[in-house]
Amino acid sequence: MENSPSAEADTAQPASAPSEKQEANNPSASSEKDADPPLSKNQLKKRRRWEKAQSIKKRRKEQARELKRIKAKNAGRDLDAERRQQLQNEKEGTGWKRREERWKEILQKADIDNSFRVCLDCSFEDQMTSKEMNSLGLQLRYAYAVNRKSAMPVHIDVCGLKKGGETRGHLEKVEGFPERWVGRAFRCYEDEMEEVYCKSIEVANGVTSTNPSMKCDGNAQDGKKSPIISEDKTSAAKSEVKTSTDSEDKASTKNGDVKASIKSEKEPEDTENVDSNKDATDNVSDLPYPKLRPNHKFVYLTGDSPNTLTSLDNNTTYIIGGIVDRNRLKRAAIERAESINSQNTLLSIQTARLPLDENLDFKGSTRILTCNHVFEILQRYRENGYEDWRGSVMAVLPCRKDVEEKVERNDEVKANMKKVRVQVLL
């Protein structure tokens, strides 16, 4: 086996070795010697394997790149002309303009201003570890990516994402955050959730001041319960009651009969912050709060709630707790909602849970979902025409959950009748 240069340097005797007195008189030399100890045989073997793997990886990349060049030439493509055109497009910004036009078309088809909103409450950082905050940052990125690629995007408000925090620090490493994300219906606020939406309601009621010290009063909303939430009195798995309002909301959503109280702006980053009557202001920086319609409702999604979500209302903000606790923080989300209601009567936040047990059999798997999974379930339900919770959840949950769809009793009866008929015929 060949010896590396470092190994030879360790075994070979130097021509003029420094004496002990010289080492004592030169402490920097002794510290350098202590800082770089000789490598063991196992460490040398690991280094050689790592260097060999890196060289193989580099060679494979070059081979793949060369294979692409050959395929392009065989297809008759002029690679040099394509590179020049790409550089020209980057300078002129034509690619960005094309993407912006496509995004405008998606927003018009999705009617985003007349859809429900989603809020991610990131006020639990002081209760999470650095690893958990890193996971929360990744989940926010997944939620942004899913919403950007969806044919039916919704407005996302991330509240409590303070500058200097670890979660925001992870997001700031991504190019374009937060400036470009605003144009994709994704807004971040340093203020807490209750402060952001209180100010939004005050602006909607004609108060244009953006003073942070301005307090909210409880006279702007009636605090009525949302018709899309049912209470579980006996058990959480037996609540499937829907009111007549649910069916009316579904029909109006399918036919596109929901009337818009706010006109969308031409620029995508200004779609939710422009007043149709221009009573407040036309500048987004002067009105950095979500634009809410009258009688807007708020529902905090938590698995500890006794209420079950049966449908989605387009004049409601659904709040997802930004918690990554590995099932460590018990009842954190519902206690947060109760705390806001006790201190502020303006929002009148209700709580609800997703109808998981009513549609799926989790066996021994946990029912705790990540923030991006909860958001994607809500979005899938909207894409499915505000129906089919079962299909929406099954399309989102990963395979490791090992869940099965619950078979309804009518389906079981039909299957048994078919078996009986087959036996009779035989």
Side-chain angles (χ1 to χ4, degrees):
M1 180 177 67
E2 295 181 2
N3 293 326
S4 65
S6 60
E8 293 177 358
D10 295 335
T11 56
Q13 294 293 335
S16 59
S19 63
E20 296 179 358
K21 293 182 179 180
Q22 291 175 346
E23 291 181 355
N25 296 330
N26 190 6
S28 61
S30 61
S31 62
E32 290 177 2
K33 185 177 180 181
D34 295 337
D36 298 327
L39 297 177
S40 64
K41 290 184 178 180
N42 288 335
Q43 289 174 332
L44 289 172
K45 288 180 181 178
K46 290 179 180 179
R47 175 174 288 185
R48 292 192 191 102
R49 285 198 295 268
W50 180 81
E51 291 174 351
K52 184 178 179 180
Q54 292 297 315
S55 62
I56 292 174
K57 185 178 180 181
K58 184 178 180 180
R59 186 174 69 251
R60 287 178 177 174
K61 282 187 175 180
E62 292 176 353
Q63 290 175 353
R65 197 177 296 114
E66 186 63 26
L67 184 61
K68 286 183 178 179
R69 291 196 197 99
I70 294 173
K71 288 183 177 179
K73 288 182 179 179
N74 293 337
R77 292 167 53 189
D78 189 353
L79 298 179
D80 295 334
E82 290 181 2
R83 291 193 188 95
R84 289 193 296 270
Q85 184 63 36
Q86 184 178 2
L87 294 174
Q88 186 68 21
N89 292 340
E90 291 178 358
K91 291 181 181 179
E92 297 177 354
T94 55
W96 176 258
K97 292 178 182 177
R98 194 184 310 114
R99 288 191 293 271
E100 287 296 310
E101 292 176 357
R102 190 183 306 120
W103 178 252
K104 289 179 183 178
E105 295 177 358
I106 292 175
L107 293 183
Q108 290 178 357
K109 292 180 181 178
D111 197 11
I112 187 171
D113 290 328
N114 294 320
S115 170
F116 61 85
R117 306 179 70 95
V118 174
C119 172
L120 290 160
D121 184 12
C122 299
S123 60
F124 303 90
E125 277 197 355
D126 56 344
Q127 305 179 50
M128 296 192 297
T129 63
S130 297
K131 185 177 180 180
E132 291 169 349
M133 283 185 276
N134 183 25
S135 298
L136 177 59
L138 289 174
Q139 293 178 20
L140 294 176
R141 291 173 60 181
Y142 286 137
Y144 164 76
V146 169
N147 192 53
R148 183 173 57 87
K149 296 177 181 178
S150 173
M152 301 287 285
V154 298
H155 286 300
I156 301 177
D157 304 322
V158 183
C159 301
L161 200 64
K162 301 185 182 299
K163 290 183 179 179
E166 289 193 42
T167 305
R168 191 182 183 103
H170 291 299
L171 293 175
E172 287 176 348
K173 296 178 183 178
V174 182
E175 184 180 359
F177 178 87
E179 292 81 10
R180 292 187 180 178
W181 290 30
V182 172
R184 295 296 181 265
F186 191 99
R187 288 184 174 271
C188 299
Y189 302 92
E190 290 190 68
D191 294 338
E192 298 295 336
M193 176 197 66
E194 56 271 29
E195 298 176 5
V196 172
Y197 288 116
C198 272
K199 293 170 184 176
S200 300
I201 293 174
E202 287 170 345
V203 171
N205 292 335
V207 181
T208 58
S209 174
T210 57
N211 187 3
S213 62
M214 184 173 54
K215 294 183 179 180
C216 305
D217 55 14
N219 299 325
Q221 202 167 3
D222 53 2
K224 293 182 180 179
K225 283 193 174 182
S226 174
I228 50 87
I229 298 177
S230 62
E231 294 186 359
D232 291 340
K233 294 184 179 179
T234 55
S235 65
K238 295 182 179 180
S239 175
E240 298 180 357
V241 180
K242 296 185 180 180
T243 63
S244 60
T245 310
D246 297 334
S247 58
E248 294 175 1
D249 290 343
K250 287 184 180 180
S252 62
T253 306
K254 292 179 183 179
N255 300 327
D257 294 336
V258 181
K259 296 183 179 180
S261 61
I262 304 169
K263 295 182 180 179
S264 59
E265 184 67 18
K266 293 182 179 179
E267 292 297 330
E269 58 267 23
D270 299 340
T271 53
E272 57 174 343
N273 290 318
V274 179
D275 190 0
S276 59
N277 298 323
K278 296 185 179 181
D279 291 332
T281 180
D282 291 335
N283 194 347
V284 177
S285 61
D286 295 335
L287 185 60
Y289 305 116
K291 189 67 176 179
L292 304 179
R293 287 179 285 169
N295 300 323
H296 197 79
K297 302 179 183 66
F298 301 89
V299 177
Y300 211 118
L301 299 179
T302 169
D304 298 318
S305 175
N307 306 321
T308 303
L309 198 66
T310 56
S311 183
L312 297 180
D313 180 32
N314 281 331
N315 197 20
T316 302
T317 294
Y318 295 96
I319 307 166
I320 303 172
I323 309 173
V324 182
D325 59 343
R326 319 296 179 195
N327 201 19
R328 176 171 49 84
L329 302 176
K330 303 291 185 180
R331 295 180 59 83
I334 193 168
E335 289 177 358
R336 164 87 168 134
E338 292 172 353
S339 175
I340 295 174
N341 285 334
S342 63
Q343 298 175 5
N344 187 346
T345 59
L346 178 63
L347 300 182
S348 184
I349 298 177
Q350 304 169 52
T351 61
R353 64 175 184 85
L354 294 176
L356 301 179
D357 292 328
E358 288 78 6
N359 295 281
L360 301 176
D361 182 10
F362 279 82
K363 301 179 181 178
S365 181
T366 177
R367 291 164 178 77
I368 298 174
L369 307 179
T370 60
C371 299
N372 55 296
H373 282 160
V374 176
F375 169 75
E376 194 171 353
I377 289 172
L378 299 179
Q379 196 171 56
R380 286 290 186 123
Y381 185 75
R382 183 174 185 239
E383 292 176 354
N384 293 339
Y386 292 79
E387 57 184 14
D388 190 15
W389 279 112
R390 187 178 305 174
S392 303
V393 176
M394 288 296 295
V396 173
L397 292 185
C399 297
R400 65 176 180 271
K401 283 289 186 182
D402 191 23
V403 296
E404 293 181 355
E405 296 185 16
K406 276 190 175 180
V407 181
E408 296 182 1
R409 186 170 184 81
N410 294 335
D411 296 340
E412 292 181 356
V413 172
K414 291 179 181 179
N416 293 333
M417 290 294 294
K418 288 182 179 179
K419 291 181 181 179
V420 171
R421 290 175 182 175
V422 171
Q423 292 177 358
V424 171
L425 291 174
L426 292 177

